[in-house]
Protein backbone atom coordinates (compact mmCIF):
# COMPACT_ATOMS: atom_id res chain seq x y z
CA UNK A 1 0.00 0.00 0.00
CA UNK A 2 2.78 2.44 0.81
CA UNK A 3 4.25 1.77 -2.63
CA UNK A 4 0.96 3.09 -4.14
CA UNK A 5 0.99 6.14 -1.89
CA UNK A 6 -1.90 4.98 0.32
CA UNK A 7 -1.88 4.44 4.04
CA UNK A 8 -2.28 1.07 5.71
CA UNK A 9 -5.56 2.21 7.31
CA UNK A 10 -7.01 2.88 3.85
CA UNK A 11 -6.18 -0.67 2.82
CA UNK A 12 -7.87 -2.09 5.90
CA UNK A 13 -10.93 0.12 5.33
CA UNK A 14 -11.19 -1.12 1.74
CA UNK A 15 -10.76 -4.76 2.84
CA UNK A 16 -13.49 -4.34 5.46
CA UNK A 17 -15.86 -2.81 2.86
CA UNK A 18 -15.07 -5.61 0.37
CA UNK A 19 -15.78 -8.30 2.94
CA UNK A 20 -19.03 -6.55 3.96
CA UNK A 21 -20.57 -6.29 0.50
CA UNK A 22 -18.16 -6.66 -2.40
CA UNK A 23 -17.67 -3.96 -5.03
CA UNK A 24 -20.99 -2.23 -4.29
CA UNK A 25 -19.95 -1.64 -0.68
CA UNK A 26 -16.74 0.02 -1.87
CA UNK A 27 -18.57 2.58 -4.00
CA UNK A 28 -18.90 6.02 -2.39
CA UNK A 29 -22.34 6.74 -0.96
CA UNK A 30 -22.50 10.40 -1.93
CA UNK A 31 -23.36 12.18 -5.16
CA UNK A 32 -20.21 14.21 -5.00
CA UNK A 33 -19.84 17.92 -5.27
CA UNK A 34 -21.36 20.77 -3.41
CA UNK A 35 -25.17 21.01 -3.25
CA UNK A 36 -26.65 23.77 -5.45
CA UNK A 37 -27.24 27.18 -3.88
CA UNK A 38 -30.69 27.43 -5.49
CA UNK A 39 -33.17 24.63 -4.86
CA UNK A 40 -35.22 23.31 -7.77
CA UNK A 41 -38.24 25.31 -6.54
CA UNK A 42 -36.17 28.52 -6.36
CA UNK A 43 -34.76 27.85 -9.83
CA UNK A 44 -38.32 27.75 -11.19
CA UNK A 45 -39.17 30.99 -9.35
CA UNK A 46 -36.01 32.58 -10.78
CA UNK A 47 -36.92 31.46 -14.31
CA UNK A 48 -40.40 32.98 -13.88
CA UNK A 49 -38.89 36.31 -12.78
CA UNK A 50 -36.49 36.36 -15.73
CA UNK A 51 -39.32 35.43 -18.10
CA UNK A 52 -41.32 38.44 -16.89
CA UNK A 53 -38.41 40.88 -17.12
CA UNK A 54 -36.31 39.58 -20.01
CA UNK A 55 -33.94 40.59 -21.42
CA UNK A 56 -31.95 41.19 -18.22
CA UNK A 57 -28.42 42.45 -18.01
CA UNK A 58 -25.89 40.51 -15.96
CA UNK A 59 -26.05 43.22 -13.28
CA UNK A 60 -29.85 42.84 -13.09
CA UNK A 61 -29.53 39.06 -12.80
CA UNK A 62 -27.00 39.42 -9.97
CA UNK A 63 -29.31 41.88 -8.21
CA UNK A 64 -32.31 39.52 -8.51
CA UNK A 65 -30.30 36.61 -7.15
CA UNK A 66 -28.99 38.64 -4.19
CA UNK A 67 -32.20 40.43 -3.21
CA UNK A 68 -34.78 37.72 -3.86
CA UNK A 69 -32.85 34.55 -3.02
CA UNK A 70 -29.86 35.76 -0.98
CA UNK A 71 -27.46 33.95 -3.33
CA UNK A 72 -24.21 35.16 -4.86
CA UNK A 73 -22.10 33.48 -7.51
CA UNK A 74 -18.57 34.22 -8.67
CA UNK A 75 -18.64 36.34 -11.86
CA UNK A 76 -16.72 33.65 -13.75
CA UNK A 77 -19.14 30.90 -12.65
CA UNK A 78 -22.42 32.83 -13.13
CA UNK A 79 -22.79 32.23 -16.92
CA UNK A 80 -22.45 28.47 -16.41
CA UNK A 81 -25.15 28.49 -13.71
CA UNK A 82 -27.48 30.56 -15.88
CA UNK A 83 -27.01 28.15 -18.81
CA UNK A 84 -27.82 25.20 -16.52
CA UNK A 85 -31.02 26.99 -15.48
CA UNK A 86 -31.93 27.46 -19.14
CA UNK A 87 -30.88 31.01 -19.95
CA UNK A 88 -28.71 32.21 -22.79
CA UNK A 89 -27.01 35.54 -23.42
CA UNK A 90 -28.19 37.50 -26.44
CA UNK A 91 -25.44 39.79 -27.72
CA UNK A 92 -26.38 43.21 -29.06
CA UNK A 93 -27.52 43.46 -32.65
CA UNK A 94 -25.26 45.19 -35.09
CA UNK A 95 -26.74 48.32 -36.55
CA UNK A 96 -26.35 49.08 -40.21
CA UNK A 97 -25.81 52.76 -40.90
CA UNK A 98 -27.27 53.99 -44.15
CA UNK A 99 -25.17 56.12 -46.42
CA UNK A 100 -27.54 59.04 -45.84
CA UNK A 101 -27.17 58.85 -42.05
CA UNK A 102 -23.40 58.76 -42.33
CA UNK A 103 -23.26 61.71 -44.73
CA UNK A 104 -25.54 63.77 -42.48
CA UNK A 105 -23.37 62.97 -39.49
CA UNK A 106 -20.21 63.93 -41.37
CA UNK A 107 -21.76 67.26 -42.35
CA UNK A 108 -22.67 67.83 -38.71
CA UNK A 109 -19.09 67.11 -37.69
CA UNK A 110 -17.83 69.82 -40.06
CA UNK A 111 -20.22 72.45 -38.71
CA UNK A 112 -19.61 72.05 -34.97
CA UNK A 113 -16.71 70.79 -32.92
CA UNK A 114 -17.36 67.36 -31.53
CA UNK A 115 -17.35 67.19 -27.72
CA UNK A 116 -14.63 64.81 -26.61
CA UNK A 117 -16.62 63.25 -23.78
CA UNK A 118 -19.96 62.82 -25.55
CA UNK A 119 -21.04 60.38 -28.20
CA UNK A 120 -21.26 61.30 -31.85
CA UNK A 121 -24.79 61.57 -33.23
CA UNK A 122 -24.12 58.82 -35.75
CA UNK A 123 -23.18 56.52 -32.89
CA UNK A 124 -26.50 56.87 -31.10
CA UNK A 125 -28.89 53.96 -31.30
CA UNK A 126 -32.29 54.31 -32.92
CA UNK A 127 -33.89 51.87 -30.49
CA UNK A 128 -33.04 49.80 -27.43
CA UNK A 129 -31.62 46.48 -28.53
CA UNK A 130 -32.51 43.23 -26.80
CA UNK A 131 -29.27 42.60 -24.99
CA UNK A 132 -29.02 40.38 -21.94
CA UNK A 133 -30.05 37.05 -20.50
CA UNK A 134 -33.21 35.48 -21.93
CA UNK A 135 -34.85 32.06 -21.71
CA UNK A 136 -33.68 29.55 -24.28
CA UNK A 137 -36.20 28.62 -26.92
Amino acid sequence: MSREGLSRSTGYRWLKAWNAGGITAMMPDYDGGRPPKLSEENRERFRAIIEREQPCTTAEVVSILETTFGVTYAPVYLPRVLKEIGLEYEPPDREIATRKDVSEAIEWDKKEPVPTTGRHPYDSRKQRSNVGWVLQE
Side-chain angles (χ1 to χ4, degrees), residues 19-117:
N19 290 336
I23 191 75
T24 56
M26 295 185 69
M27 301 301 283
D29 58 350
Y30 59 89
D31 292 333
R34 184 178 183 171
K37 291 183 178 182
L38 282 178
S39 66
E40 196 60 41
E41 177 184 321
N42 283 343
R43 282 179 177 229
E44 291 303 318
R45 283 181 49 215
F46 176 69
R47 281 179 56 92
I49 291 170
I50 295 297
E51 189 172 4
R52 272 195 321 264
E53 308 206 7
Q54 67 182 337
C56 294
T57 63
T58 303
E60 291 169 339
V61 168
V62 168
S63 174
I64 290 169
L65 286 170
E66 287 178 353
T67 57
T68 308
F69 302 102
V71 172
T72 58
Y73 289 102
V76 174
Y77 184 63
L78 182 63
R80 186 174 2 164
V81 171
L82 295 177
K83 285 180 183 175
E84 287 174 7
I85 291 174
L87 301 176
E88 62 183 3
Y89 188 78
E90 257 186 32
D93 295 331
R94 290 188 175 178
E95 292 184 13
I96 300 173
T98 63
R99 200 171 271 223
K100 181 182 173 191
D101 290 341
V102 172
S103 65
E104 287 175 2
I106 292 171
E107 288 177 11
W108 181 87
D109 280 348
K110 291 179 183 175
K111 292 179 184 174
E112 294 179 24
V114 178
T116 57
T117 57

Side-chain angles (χ1 to χ4, degrees), residues 12-27:
Y12 284 123
R13 192 169 16 96
W14 286 355
L15 179 63
K16 185 178 177 183
W18 178 266
N19 290 336
I23 191 75
T24 56
M26 295 185 69
M27 301 301 283

